[in-house]
Amino acid sequence: MTNYLRRIVAGFMLFAAEFAVTLGLGTLGIVGFLALGREVLDQDAAVFDARAFHWARHILGANESGWVERITFLASRNFITAVALLLIGYFLFVRRHRWYTLLVPVVALGSITLNLVLKTTYRRPRPLLPLVSASGLSFPSGHAMISASFYGLLIYLVLTHVRRHRVLRWLLVVVLVLLILLIGLTRVYLRVHYASDVLAGFTAGLVWLLIAIPLLKYIEKAVKKRYKYAPQLAEKQPE
């Protein structure tokens, strides 16, 4: 029982360390990138965003709020949290892959947390006259950022695990990419975000994912190496 508790505590400490490191590096990288990008977009953002509202309505139709709301729900915090828990359970009890049980919550929770940090940093109000109720700040879009990072993670899992069925693998990748883009388009259609919010969310989510995956891999390898050689080192110590 003691060893079991130690493993739980060790797993929790590893998760906390991975989450803190990736969140810190992600915050520095994304805030710096978006600060530069915002300076570039400021001059034309108003015109670009106004045209995007008309373009989204033209693409999706004038009175399509019903199915559009169902699509945008697929990037809501409640839905992503439920799917993330299912993935964690799958990798924990079925595949028994410890690293993925840490990777999924780090990416999901880190994306949500980082989005709140960025919103507080930029404090951009939402567009006027939204088609559905929305609260909070606008820049960057939380739905766009979460969809890019979480569904981007699913794309990574598909590419690394679905190798025998090439057609199925690329079909899933295309579907997930289209879903990410469609979620962003629905946020503009519903007028709860500017198009520049969505583009910034996509960028931030992708950068977060590109930082989190290789960094967590490095930490995992370092931990495995340490535990692999720790018993051998202990045996070599003089009595």
Side-chain angles (χ1 to χ4, degrees):
M1 186 63 179
T2 303
N3 292 333
Y4 179 72
L5 289 176
R6 287 178 179 175
R7 292 178 62 183
I8 293 178
V9 173
F12 176 78
M13 295 300 294
L14 178 60
F15 167 76
E18 291 178 343
F19 183 81
V21 172
T22 51
L23 182 63
L25 292 178
T27 301
L28 292 176
I30 294 173
V31 167
F33 179 84
L34 291 181
L36 294 174
R38 189 70 184 275
E39 292 296 324
V40 175
L41 290 175
D42 265 348
Q43 299 298 323
D44 301 317
V47 176
F48 170 74
D49 289 330
R51 291 178 177 176
F53 284 134
H54 294 290
W55 182 75
R57 200 162 184 80
H58 176 73
I59 293 296
L60 299 182
N63 299 299
E64 301 293 340
S65 297
W67 71 267
V68 168
E69 288 186 52
R70 289 191 288 271
I71 291 296
T72 199
F73 174 74
L74 298 179
S76 64
R77 293 175 187 172
N78 292 338
F79 181 80
I80 293 298
T81 299
V83 176
L85 290 175
L86 289 175
L87 277 176
I88 292 171
Y90 171 74
F91 287 120
L92 184 62
F93 299 108
V94 179
R95 293 297 299 271
R96 298 185 181 278
H97 199 303
R98 183 182 178 188
W99 182 63
Y100 286 136
T101 62
L102 297 174
L103 177 64
V104 173
V106 165
V107 171
L109 294 177
S111 181
I112 294 173
T113 305
L114 187 55
N115 181 255
L116 294 176
V117 172
L118 293 174
K119 283 181 181 291
T120 304
T121 301
Y122 289 97
R123 304 195 64 82
R124 186 184 193 183
R126 289 184 182 270
L128 300 175
L129 304 176
L131 299 183
V132 295
S133 61
S135 59
L137 299 168
S138 188
F139 185 90
S141 166
H143 280 66
M145 184 171 174
I146 292 170
S147 65
S149 60
F150 186 77
Y151 291 115
L153 174 62
L154 294 187
I155 291 174
Y156 168 79
L157 295 177
V158 167
L159 291 175
T160 53
H161 288 278
V162 185
R163 295 182 177 179
R164 295 183 179 179
H165 306 283
R166 182 176 299 179
V167 175
L168 176 61
R169 177 179 61 185
W170 289 109
L171 178 61
L172 291 173
V173 169
V174 170
V175 169
L176 288 170
V177 169
L178 291 177
L179 177 60
I180 293 171
L181 297 176
L182 187 57
I183 287 172
L185 184 60
T186 60
R187 303 307 286 171
V188 179
Y189 178 90
L190 295 173
R191 296 183 64 90
V192 291
H193 281 292
Y194 298 104
S196 53
D197 298 337
V198 172
L199 292 178
F202 284 158
T203 303
L206 181 60
V207 171
W208 169 253
L209 190 63
L210 293 177
I211 291 175
I213 290 178
L215 183 59
L216 294 184
K217 274 188 174 182
Y218 175 80
I219 294 176
E220 181 201 21
K221 289 181 180 179
V223 171
K224 284 184 176 180
K225 184 177 180 181
R226 177 182 177 183
Y227 280 102
K228 179 180 179 180
Y229 292 105
Q232 300 177 9
L233 294 175
E235 292 176 0
K236 294 180 180 180
Q237 293 178 356
E239 296 182 359

